[in-house]
Amino acid sequence: MTMIEVKDLSKVYGSGETKVIALDSVNLTIEQGQFVAVMGPSGCGKSTLLHLIGGLDRPTTGTVTVEGKDISKMSDTTLTELRRRKMGFIFQFYNLIPVLDAVENTALPLILDGVKPETARIKAKEWLTRNKLEDRGSHRPDELSGGQQQRVAISRAMVADPVIVLADEPTGNLDSRSGDEIASVLRKIVSDWGRTVLMVTHDPRIAAYADRIIFLKDGRIVDDALLSGDNGDNAKRLKEKVEAL
Amino acid sequence: MRIQILLAWRYLLGRKQRMALTTLAVVFGVTLLFGMNAMIPAMMEAFRHNMVTAAGKVDISISGDSNNPFDEASLDALKDIGGISHSTGLLQKNVLLPESLGGTTDPIAGASAVTVTGLDIPTAQSVRNFQIKEGRFLEAADGSETVISQLLADKMSLTVGDTLSIPSSDGIEKLTVVGILSLSASAGLDEIFVPLATSQRILNLPDKINTIDILIRSDADRLTVENEILSKLGPNFKSGPVEVGNELASALIMGESMMWLFGIMALAMASFIIFNTFRTVIAERRRDLGMLRAIGASKRTVMGLILTESLIQGVVGTALGLMFGYLMCLGLLASFGPMLQSFMRVSVGGPVITTANLVGSILLGIGFTVGSGYFPARSAMKITPLEALRPSLGAAEFRKNKRRALWGLAMVAASVFGLVIGELNVAALSTLVFLAGLIMIAPVMVKPVADTFGKLISLVYAREGRLAQGNLARQPGRAAITASSMMIGLAICIAMIGMITSILNGFIGYLDKSLGTDYLLMPSSLVLGGGNLGANQGLIDRIRNTDGVEAATSLRLAASQTKGAALQMIGIDPEVYPQISGLAFSNGDPATAYPALANGRSIIVNGMFATSAAIKTGDVLTLKTPQGDQVYNVVGVAFDYLNAKIATGYISQANLATDFNASSDVLLLVNRKTNSNNSAVLSALKAIAKDFPAFSLIDSTEFKNEQINMFKQAMSTLYVLVVMLALPGLIAMANTMSINIIERTREIGMLRAVGTTQTQVKRMVFAESLLLSALGTTMGILVGLFLSYLLLKALIFIGFTVDFFFPATGILMSVAVGLTFGIIAAMVPARTAARTVIVEALRYE
Amino acid sequence: MSVRHALLGLLAQQPRYGYELCAGFTALAGGRENWDVKPAQIYTTLSRMTDSGLVTLANGKNDNSLEKPLYSITLVGMEELMNWFRDSVLEEPHQDAFYLKLMLSLELDEVDAVRLIQIQRTALFQELHRITELRQSLDPQQQLAQILLMDKAVMHLEADVRWLDMIESRLEEVQHQPPPKPYLRPRGRPPSQ
Ligand SMILES: Nc1ncnc2c1ncn2[C@@H]1O[C@H](COP(=O)(O)OP(=O)(O)OP(=O)(O)O)[C@@H](O)[C@H]1O
Ligand SMILES: [Mg+2]
């Protein structure tokens, strides 16, 4: 099933002299249950793509369709609701509300959605437990390590049962070991829970957890590599590419 | 909603210090607002209690329209009205009991005044029900007999046969108590009843009454009868009892509105502080808020979060403010009480909380807080989710500031022009415009002022000064708002101090002029209308005949109404009065005004009335009198010291007698022959005064000193107010400084990491705070000068001619206050900054 | 070379049969997926080592065809093993086949260098993904040794990927520089790569 469909998506910042084309008619289809990594040099438009898909920003031209619905023309209210119910976000920095503890931070999307606080707390704790943070529930973010904070963020992203999880350099701030932890949690989200994950990263190691890597350069997709599937399959695909030489 | 409350509460708790400081500002405003306004009604209550203690249940009460006495003959008009079953005429007046006659201001131990009611004995009993508990009721043959209420008898421990002495127009009236009325009798608390003729003698109002009490037939319609009576009597009567103390009430109401103004000013400052805090809060939380938006918080949720936060602070601040306000009121009443007791012969009870005050304080307190949170909240609403993900762009602020500053400059120019025009309302408006303009200019002033004063500071702390200067200029908006709130505080300071010095100087001049006599015979209460009993011609004659007295003149009193407002009428002798004392003129020429009073109906009004009724020399005034409306020509605007605060008109004593039926002397002014012996004259006068216990003899010089002292005392409470108004400025500064430090924890950590010492960090913070206060002080002085000039203008307008005293003291004080505030405000933040642990600072997000 | 020394190492622990050595080596090298060595190659190596006196048959001559040969290490073999241990292991990363491809592609119009990089990168990522999955399936409590070996592979692949990124970003520069031309020495021998 197609989860995300991006058509002729462009994003232009500024105008005239200072015009920056962050995305240049990008076309992309992402299936449900796929773990997609987006890679590319700095400034190539990775974050922009993620933001547009997440409905955090509006495209200059083109459309983004999530679960068959075009989100580029939705009102702010509908979009906000969509983000709340269908999407989970994980960012590199400033992920958590500093004055709330881990459980409260995790429960935030549910509470925002009007779920009863007790129910929200229970679900939040479940997710924290899955991410091995059961004993850190009452800690505030400044009492957690970077990796733990990021796992709280993942719990929060997952707590409202979103269909899509968007992560912008979720391991950018972590050492390789914590980075691996985060990546394997994301992997599980896809493998065990069937969610669709779109992740921006600079780290090949982390990207290798994904099923598919999209390479961006200067706002265009320059390469799209499938990593999963058995060796024969992959070899065949490679061969196709070679033939295209 | 829940989430907003949770987050708001957590954020507030997360920054306790800041919350405390911000809330303190609200507390402060509400304290002033509520406390001050709880005081005024308490005072009103006290006066009212003193003046209207008479009460009787009758069907209809008729009195003079302007509360003046009228002829007994008016009763005849009622004879052939069918609906009336019984009617009786009364003469009723509050009479203060001087201490020499057993008066006391303690309401439990005795009475400070009695209400003397003269009864027409044959008809009175058919209208009112007098139940005698002891002794007998008055009889037709009675002269100096009285019947008193049980309560008064108990308080003054009087029984049948005892003598009760009260002041009278010819000195003392000794009354024999012949009966005591039972508690249930329809008598006021401290009411005493005498035969009508006796009361007319005591009050020096022969053949006059001031109230008609009427019982109607059981089958008659009250309203019809009432209308019939009023139409028979003519236009100068009204239904209802005599109202006393109207003039004073309006003075107090003015005081009340002053207090509201003060409170609102303090709250306005508080809202500046809150606005400032919230702007900072939102700048700090841009990422948090953007993140909330990203994970699905709606715009309304985000706005609600900020509003909830301000609401919590508003509620907490207001609640505390109400509490402190009550305490402040208690304290002030306790300290003012004795003064009022000795000068006005009233005792003030506890704070009186009116619904209007309570509701008003709560609404204003919470309203201002939430209101000033509103704009920051709106800007919070506009934060896009992307701001959680991208570093915010800070540089764009500058150009907007410049355009705004141009507007501000235009406004300042316009307001200066407005001041020059000389119209009071325009000038008042100009002040507001000036303030607003200055606030708009403030952001661009930050850099030049910081640069100028920065150079000074750099002389002492070379390196830290430069850093502080840069830090301040980095956030011109915030610095400007902080400085603005300090500016308002200091401006008020300067203006008030300027006004106080000017008034004090002017006041002493006035006192010399309007009380330029050697001796005064003062009534018990300084407020002439407040239950004082006048003397008949006998007193002044005796004084004039005393050896060594050169001249004596008197003030007489009546009440009138014009244009719907109460007006106190003072009768003077147009020939003698100017020689002995004199009014201070702000409009018109004394040389022509006094003779004009003597010829025909002319009036001099005081500035207070002239301003409020928009009257000037040459206008005509229609005054209500017991004889009907009379037209007076205004020949001048002037005032005497005692009546400056009450709307007053001065007319000749002859006119006062014919038009207002008043011929008692309420205040006497006496001049001694230059070659006579002071102590001999004084003792002779004392002997006379002894026979008139309603008066106290005062040596003018002594009195003046007393008055000046009292005035200074009152002014010193104003100083306290001034300081209180400046305090929120300090709070604002301290607040901004701590916010700056909190925000820059990381930076300071970095500075420490690369080798800045703790002392240097401290100095940097102090320098910054000093720069900020320099900015506030500079602006404050500018506005203060403007404001003080305006206040004096306003004073001149209501009749005081005061020379403008350049408030040099005020400016010096402001500079001192500014410096002190700068240092105090930086103390805690500097320590926090110096103690910044490097590692933690670098982790701080 | 290392197969030889690994077998010597296994024999240094105790004398072993041939099939034991096959299984032992596979386990040591991190499983068949990781390093697939055919038994034939092991037996060939063993017989070569027997010939050169590094290994002997512990159960006498190989006349008795009924009995499986039990190999054990000789003193000479031990000496050789210790020498191996004393040497440091240096691979030769500067001898890279992809590099040759790339350099040649720069000169050939028929081959697009960028595509070449992409194909190589995809291959590397596929390998990286495979190893990552493999590594994920291992139990860190029991199979730490293998995990560490996987890590080595991951890191190498990662380095390769980064190297590709670097080449890609500087490809134009390289194209504008003169290609590595054979330097003709007087004697006319081409320099070794
Ligand atoms: N708000 C903006 N205004 C102007 N230009 C922008 C804005 N946001 C992004 N850009 C530009 O768009 C381009 C793509 O930005 P984007 O953040 O998507 O890059 P990225 O691939 O995420 O980079 P990085 O790996 O460094 O995060 C960049 O050139 C950037 O400068
Ligand atoms: Mg990015």
Side-chain angles (χ1 to χ4, degrees):
Chain A
M1 195 184 108
T2 303
M3 180 57 64
I4 301 168
E5 194 166 8
V6 170
K7 271 201 190 128
D8 289 328
L9 190 67
S10 296
K11 177 76 188 178
V12 181
Y13 288 109
S15 59
E17 295 257 311
T18 57
K19 188 163 123 175
V20 178
I21 303 178
L23 279 184
D24 190 359
S25 44
V26 168
N27 285 294
L28 179 67
T29 309
I30 295 173
E31 299 297 319
Q32 195 214 323
Q34 225 174 21
F35 185 177
V36 182
V38 182
M39 295 191 81
S42 189
C44 68
K46 304 181 294 292
S47 301
T48 307
L49 177 65
L50 201 78
H51 297 159
L52 290 175
I53 291 175
L56 299 175
D57 205 355
R58 303 217 178 246
T60 310
T61 57
T63 57
V64 176
T65 314
V66 172
E67 280 194 316
K69 276 179 242 133
D70 183 359
I71 68 163
S72 34
K73 288 181 189 63
M74 282 184 181
S75 75
D76 182 80
T77 322
T78 334
L79 209 52
T80 303
E81 206 161 280
L82 182 93
R83 284 202 300 268
R84 199 155 67 203
R85 305 218 168 116
K86 300 272 177 187
M87 293 182 184
F89 290 89
I90 304 160
F91 307 116
Q92 182 178 355
F93 293 113
Y94 308 107
N95 242 318
L96 305 173
I97 302 284
V99 294
L100 299 181
D101 66 26
V103 173
E104 286 162 338
N105 260 300
T106 310
L108 211 52
L110 292 179
I111 296 177
L112 283 173
D113 205 27
V115 173
K116 265 215 296 248
E118 299 78 49
T119 327
R121 283 187 76 88
I122 291 169
K123 281 205 78 171
K125 279 185 187 151
E126 274 171 26
W127 272 103
L128 287 176
T129 310
R130 281 193 195 111
N131 289 327
K132 308 200 183 63
L133 283 169
E134 56 275 18
D135 52 345
R136 294 298 165 120
S138 56
H139 289 228
R140 274 187 286 112
D142 57 356
E143 298 161 347
L144 297 173
S145 76
Q148 287 166 335
Q149 286 188 36
Q150 206 56 301
R151 274 183 285 154
V152 174
I154 294 177
S155 310
R156 186 187 61 196
M158 289 301 293
V159 80
D161 291 329
V163 289
I164 300 171
V165 174
L166 300 166
D168 196 350
E169 302 190 36
T171 64
N173 218 17
L174 306 173
D175 63 17
S176 60
R177 207 184 145 143
S178 323
D180 275 328
E181 274 177 27
I182 298 301
S184 57
V185 172
L186 287 174
R187 177 74 250 174
K188 271 205 202 98
I189 287 174
V190 175
S191 312
D192 303 356
W193 292 82
R195 308 282 189 253
T196 309
V197 174
L198 185 61
M199 168 183 75
V200 169
T201 182
H202 279 121
D203 189 346
R205 257 172 104 91
I206 301 299
Y209 283 84
D211 303 316
R212 177 182 174 191
I213 303 182
I214 290 164
F215 295 92
L216 278 181
K217 201 181 168 193
D218 299 334
R220 294 167 192 266
I221 295 181
V222 289
D223 197 9
D224 186 346
L226 265 183
L227 308 184
S228 60
D230 61 59
N231 277 345
D233 238 24
N234 283 344
K236 217 167 75 197
R237 260 193 230 105
L238 250 188
K239 207 170 268 164
E240 278 163 24
K241 270 195 182 170
V242 174
E243 264 142 35
L245 250 173
Chain B
M1 203 57 218
R2 230 197 84 90
I3 180 76
Q4 277 106 314
I5 294 174
L6 174 75
L7 280 174
W9 192 240
R10 286 297 175 78
Y11 272 121
L12 286 175
L13 288 185
R15 297 255 192 269
K16 286 200 193 71
Q17 193 190 352
R18 182 190 303 170
M19 165 163 121
L21 286 175
T22 316
T23 313
L24 204 59
V26 186
V27 171
F28 200 81
V30 176
T31 302
L32 270 185
L33 198 62
F34 184 69
M36 286 300 184
N37 286 310
M39 209 167 91
I40 297 284
M43 288 167 75
M44 292 260 244
E45 191 85 330
F47 283 115
R48 219 173 268 141
H49 178 79
N50 208 342
M51 286 183 285
V52 197
T53 40
K57 267 216 193 84
V58 294
D59 291 340
I60 299 174
S61 253
I62 298 291
S63 60
D65 200 9
S66 47
N67 300 315
N68 284 310
F70 47 86
D71 260 348
E72 258 181 289
S74 307
L75 273 173
D76 299 339
L78 306 181
K79 285 232 169 73
D80 37 76
I81 295 176
I84 295 181
S85 87
H86 295 284
S87 68
T88 185
L90 311 169
L91 181 61
Q92 216 171 30
K93 190 178 185 323
N94 240 34
V95 174
L96 287 174
L97 276 186
E99 250 144 70
S100 61
L101 297 180
T104 163
T105 49
D106 183 348
I108 299 166
S112 62
V114 293
T115 306
V116 176
T117 305
L119 298 174
D120 176 40
I121 295 155
T123 53
Q125 265 172 307
S126 53
V127 177
R128 272 210 220 177
N129 172 26
F130 296 97
Q131 255 181 18
I132 293 294
K133 185 171 168 256
E134 240 176 273
R136 61 171 176 86
F137 193 65
L138 295 171
E139 281 160 10
D142 282 340
S144 302
E145 276 79 20
T146 184
V147 168
I148 65 175
S149 72
Q150 159 106 61
L151 211 68
L152 187 68
D154 288 351
K155 277 200 290 196
M156 300 190 69
S157 32
L158 293 169
T159 52
V160 174
D162 285 353
T163 307
L164 170 66
S165 299
I166 61 167
S168 95
S169 62
D170 28 53
I172 303 174
E173 185 74 31
K174 289 197 163 67
L175 298 167
T176 315
V177 178
V178 293
I180 291 172
L181 293 167
S182 76
L183 273 181
S184 58
S186 59
L189 290 181
D190 297 332
E191 206 168 6
I192 69 169
F193 298 93
V194 294
L196 188 59
T198 312
S199 69
Q200 285 165 343
R201 194 180 68 239
I202 293 175
L203 302 175
N204 193 24
L205 292 167
D207 304 324
K208 297 284 190 296
I209 54 175
N210 64 2
T211 310
I212 303 172
D213 277 359
I214 292 162
L215 282 187
I216 57 172
R217 274 192 225 286
S218 49
D219 55 347
D221 174 46
R222 187 176 172 280
L223 215 62
T224 334
V225 179
E226 194 176 294
N227 286 337
E228 204 172 341
I229 295 169
L230 286 179
S231 69
K232 272 266 160 54
L233 285 172
N236 303 313
F237 291 86
K238 66 168 195 290
S239 167
V242 176
E243 291 158 7
V244 234
N246 273 354
E247 316 92 349
L248 193 66
S250 57
L252 280 174
I253 283 167
M254 182 148 147
E256 199 170 16
S257 39
M258 285 285 287
M259 293 307 162
W260 279 103
L261 197 74
F262 267 123
I264 287 173
M265 264 159 122
L267 269 182
M269 233 182 306
S271 67
F272 253 115
I273 295 169
I274 295 162
F275 178 72
N276 189 8
T277 311
F278 275 101
R279 258 173 53 133
T280 321
V281 158
I282 283 159
E284 259 178 41
R285 284 197 222 139
R286 274 199 117 65
R287 284 179 180 281
D288 284 14
L289 293 173
M291 209 273 305
L292 277 173
R293 291 279 290 124
I295 65 168
S298 65
K299 286 183 174 176
R300 285 186 39 188
T301 311
V302 169
M303 185 163 166
L305 163 64
I306 303 294
L307 283 183
T308 311
E309 222 169 293
S310 62
L311 184 71
I312 292 178
Q313 290 191 312
V315 169
V316 172
T318 305
L320 286 176
L322 291 180
M323 215 170 75
F324 286 130
Y326 189 82
L327 292 178
M328 182 182 86
C329 182
L330 269 184
L332 279 178
L333 284 179
S335 60
F336 271 123
M339 216 169 92
L340 286 174
Q341 201 148 343
S342 59
F343 284 105
M344 308 252 177
R345 298 193 57 76
V346 292
S347 75
V348 185
V352 174
I353 296 164
T354 60
T355 339
N357 184 14
L358 191 67
V359 173
S361 302
I362 292 175
L363 283 185
L364 283 173
I366 297 178
F368 264 102
T369 325
V370 177
S372 43
Y374 177 76
F375 289 101
R378 272 190 67 91
S379 74
M381 193 180 87
K382 289 190 190 132
I383 292 175
T384 62
L386 279 183
E387 303 205 31
L389 317 168
R390 293 201 188 281
S392 58
L393 314 159
E397 205 189 343
F398 226 72
R399 202 186 300 151
K400 236 191 328 187
N401 279 344
K402 280 208 170 129
R403 191 177 318 146
R404 209 184 288 169
L406 283 180
W407 274 105
L409 210 62
M411 285 166 78
V412 168
S415 66
V416 171
F417 184 69
L419 192 70
V420 175
I421 286 179
E423 182 80 22
L424 185 66
N425 291 333
V426 177
L429 191 72
S430 306
T431 314
L432 287 182
V433 174
F434 186 74
L435 262 178
L438 214 56
I439 290 168
M440 282 166 87
I441 298 179
V444 286
M445 277 174 69
V446 172
K447 215 176 129 47
V449 172
D451 285 350
T452 316
F453 287 91
K455 285 204 184 90
L456 282 179
I457 291 180
S458 299
L459 290 182
V460 192
Y461 305 140
R463 275 157 295 175
E464 299 87 340
R466 281 283 321 135
L467 267 177
Q469 198 176 319
N471 281 340
L472 197 65
R474 184 157 69 176
Q475 294 270 14
R478 183 190 306 165
I481 289 185
T482 313
S484 299
S485 54
M486 184 153 162
M487 166 187 85
I488 296 181
L490 284 183
I492 293 171
C493 252
I494 294 172
M496 293 281 261
I497 291 172
M499 194 178 78
I500 291 170
T501 27
S502 298
I503 292 180
L504 201 62
N505 283 304
F507 166 79
I508 294 169
Y510 278 131
L511 210 56
D512 278 343
K513 205 169 174 190
S514 67
L515 294 177
T517 48
D518 296 326
Y519 308 107
L520 288 170
L521 277 144
M522 297 278 296
S524 306
S525 167
L526 270 185
V527 180
L528 292 185
N532 289 313
L533 188 71
N536 60 15
Q537 195 63 26
L539 177 61
I540 198 158
D541 285 348
R542 273 179 71 183
I543 290 174
R544 281 189 179 134
N545 293 333
T546 309
D547 273 349
V549 168
E550 174 159 294
T553 191
S554 64
L555 298 185
R556 293 180 181 172
L557 186 72
S560 180
Q561 271 173 320
T562 184
K563 300 184 165 187
L567 183 65
Q568 167 182 269
M569 301 302 299
I570 300 241
I572 59 172
D573 183 331
E575 273 162 42
V576 189
Y577 183 76
Q579 293 163 20
I580 297 182
S581 179
L583 300 168
F585 278 77
S586 60
N587 191 326
D589 179 14
T592 56
Y594 287 120
L597 287 191
N599 297 319
R601 293 198 163 89
S602 298
I603 186 169
I604 297 171
V605 295
N606 73 352
M608 179 127 178
F609 176 72
T611 316
S612 62
I615 290 291
K616 54 186 190 305
T617 310
D619 288 353
V620 287
L621 270 182
T622 308
L623 300 180
K624 281 214 164 106
T625 79
Q627 274 76 37
D629 285 355
Q630 297 292 353
V631 176
Y632 277 78
N633 294 314
V634 179
V635 294
V637 179
F639 74 100
D640 71 322
Y641 165 65
L642 284 177
N643 296 296
K645 287 147 268 153
I646 292 171
T648 304
Y650 304 90
I651 59 175
S652 71
Q653 291 182 342
N655 284 334
L656 197 74
T658 45
D659 288 347
F660 294 94
N661 302 333
S663 53
S664 306
D665 296 334
V666 181
L667 182 101
L668 290 94
L669 307 146
V670 183
N671 258 5
R672 169 169 69 85
K673 285 199 181 103
T674 33
N675 55 3
S676 63
N677 181 328
N678 182 22
S679 56
V681 178
L682 200 61
S683 58
L685 288 177
K686 260 188 191 146
I688 300 173
K690 215 168 173 178
D691 294 338
F692 288 84
F695 291 86
S696 34
L697 177 69
I698 288 167
D699 187 336
S700 285
T701 23
E702 211 174 89
F703 176 70
K704 264 183 241 169
N705 290 339
E706 222 169 89
Q707 284 287 297
I708 290 171
N709 279 340
M710 186 176 105
F711 193 79
K712 282 189 174 153
Q713 209 171 331
M715 287 299 172
S716 63
T717 48
L718 267 183
Y719 277 117
V720 174
L721 261 184
V722 165
V723 172
M724 283 172 87
L725 275 171
L727 264 182
L730 174 64
I731 299 177
M733 291 246 317
N735 209 344
T736 304
M737 286 315 297
S738 358
I739 293 168
N740 282 352
I741 300 308
I742 293 168
E743 262 187 352
R744 262 183 249 142
T745 307
R746 205 190 182 91
E747 212 176 298
I748 292 167
M750 214 90 85
L751 281 175
R752 295 273 291 116
V754 300
T756 316
T757 64
Q758 289 206 338
T759 323
Q760 281 173 323
V761 169
K762 256 190 206 169
R763 278 186 197 157
M764 191 184 78
V765 177
F766 274 116
E768 194 177 335
S769 174
L770 281 176
L771 283 179
L772 198 57
S773 70
L775 181 64
T777 313
T778 313
M779 284 163 61
I781 289 174
L782 283 179
V783 182
L785 284 174
F786 196 100
L787 212 63
S788 58
Y789 185 69
L790 182 91
L791 276 175
L792 286 186
K793 262 252 148 91
L795 275 182
I796 291 167
F797 244 84
I798 59 172
F800 293 85
T801 35
V802 183
D803 297 326
F804 181 68
F805 267 75
F806 188 75
T809 352
I811 289 177
L812 281 180
M813 243 181 87
S814 299
V815 173
V817 167
L819 279 177
T820 324
F821 278 17
I823 291 169
I824 297 177
M827 276 205 277
V828 178
R831 219 175 44 199
T832 323
R835 286 200 187 148
T836 304
V837 181
I838 299 170
V839 185
E840 287 213 343
L842 297 180
R843 278 180 55 161
Y844 188 94
E845 277 185 6
Chain C
M1 282 290 107
S2 11
V3 179
R4 209 158 76 110
H5 291 114
L7 293 177
L8 281 178
L10 287 170
L11 289 176
Q13 294 164 354
Q14 64 184 77
R16 291 173 198 265
Y17 295 106
Y19 64 89
E20 250 186 295
L21 284 168
C22 284
F25 181 83
T26 308
L28 191 63
R32 179 146 294 134
E33 313 89 321
N34 204 34
W35 191 341
D36 195 11
V37 179
K38 301 279 178 303
Q41 192 191 340
I42 295 211
Y43 283 111
T44 324
T45 313
L46 278 173
S47 71
R48 263 198 229 128
M49 287 199 292
T50 321
D51 292 348
S52 49
L54 299 172
V55 168
T56 55
L57 295 175
N59 50 354
K61 306 289 171 198
N62 49 353
D63 307 344
N64 192 348
S65 51
L66 280 180
E67 205 177 348
K68 296 242 160 108
L70 180 66
Y71 298 92
S72 70
I73 193 164
T74 64
L75 269 179
V76 185
M78 203 61 187
E79 185 77 3
E80 170 74 20
L81 181 67
M82 292 325 280
N83 279 338
W84 182 66
F85 273 120
R86 277 183 208 113
D87 270 356
S88 27
V89 186
L90 271 186
E91 285 171 19
E92 286 153 351
H94 42 283
Q95 296 178 2
D96 190 284
F98 177 73
Y99 177 79
L100 295 178
K101 278 194 202 172
L102 187 72
M103 285 304 125
L104 292 170
S105 79
L106 291 182
E107 295 296 288
L108 283 172
D109 286 343
E110 290 87 343
V111 187
D112 178 6
V114 176
R115 291 301 284 170
L116 207 60
I117 291 172
Q118 284 173 356
I119 291 165
Q120 176 69 5
R121 181 157 50 202
T122 307
L124 285 173
F125 265 117
Q126 284 172 348
E127 183 61 7
L128 198 53
H129 181 75
R130 190 182 66 81
I131 292 180
T132 304
E133 293 229 300
L134 200 65
R135 186 185 173 285
Q136 284 293 105
S137 64
L138 295 175
D139 177 7
Q141 304 296 324
Q142 307 286 329
Q143 296 162 294
L144 191 57
Q146 285 95 317
I147 287 181
L148 289 177
L149 188 61
M150 300 284 121
D151 280 343
K152 185 216 160 172
V154 166
M155 283 171 187
H156 272 264
L157 286 165
E158 196 187 335
D160 285 348
V161 169
R162 289 194 192 281
W163 180 60
L164 282 184
D165 284 347
M166 204 150 83
I167 294 176
E168 191 182 27
S169 68
R170 312 197 68 172
L171 198 58
E172 283 199 5
E173 269 177 77
V174 180
Q175 274 168 332
H176 286 107
Q177 286 180 8
K181 280 273 160 54
Y183 174 66
L184 295 173
R185 286 195 189 178
R187 275 195 237 152
R189 278 185 61 190
S192 67
Q193 204 27 272

